[in-house]
């Protein structure tokens, strides 16, 4: 199932990424990852794991994407563990649901 299909079925997608075992990233993978932020329906991304250097590279990539985009990117955060990532996504989902409820009232 593609991201577009998932978003079509569920309305939005929250991304949780474990970068602890990322090795060298080929150019095709970098391009594919950069394209994720351009897709509609992605509501947030929590990243956990990884070394300081991996987090730094990811932060630089996200910062560059934000500077080059005309549309706002979904919120992205870095947390220490998967449990923290799931908690962040749950909190974000609740905030977005509340905003949606307020807007429709």
């Amino acid at each position: 199932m593609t991201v577009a299909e998932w978003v079509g079925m569920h309305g939005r997608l929250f991304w949780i990424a474990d970068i602890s075992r990322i090795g060298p990233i080929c150019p095709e993978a970098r391009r594919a990852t950069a394209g994720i932020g351009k897709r509609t329906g992605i509501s947030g991304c929590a990243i956990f794991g990884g070394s300081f250097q991996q987090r730094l590279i990811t932060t630089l990539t996200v910062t560059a994407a934000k500077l080059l985009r005309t549309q706002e990117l979904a919120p992205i955060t870095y947390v220490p563990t998967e449990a923290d990532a799931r908690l962040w996504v749950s909190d974000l989902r609740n905030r977005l649901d509340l905003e949606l409820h307020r807007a429709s009232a």
Side-chain angles (χ1 to χ4, degrees):
M1 177 177 290
T2 67
V3 169
E5 290 169 335
W6 176 270
V7 171
M9 290 173 57
H10 302 281
R12 60 185 179 196
L13 176 88
F14 297 94
W15 203 277
I16 295 177
D18 177 0
I19 64 168
S20 62
R21 293 186 284 177
I22 288 181
I25 301 172
C26 67
E28 295 82 14
R30 283 194 298 272
R31 282 191 290 274
T33 303
I36 290 170
K38 298 176 184 176
R39 297 182 186 131
T40 59
I42 296 179
S43 297
C45 178
I47 301 169
F48 69 96
S51 67
F52 172 78
Q53 291 84 1
Q54 289 168 321
R55 290 190 308 272
L56 179 62
I57 290 169
T58 306
T59 300
L60 292 172
T61 303
V62 168
T63 301
K66 286 180 180 179
L67 291 172
L68 296 172
R69 299 266 307 150
T70 56
Q71 297 172 323
E72 187 175 332
L73 290 177
I76 298 172
T77 192
Y78 299 89
V79 294
T81 67
E82 182 178 355
D84 293 321
R86 291 183 180 281
L87 180 62
W88 182 84
V89 165
S90 178
D91 290 343
L92 178 60
R93 181 184 294 117
N94 291 337
R95 286 195 315 267
L96 293 175
D97 287 346
L98 184 59
E99 288 175 16
L100 184 62
H101 177 73
R102 285 181 182 161
S104 64

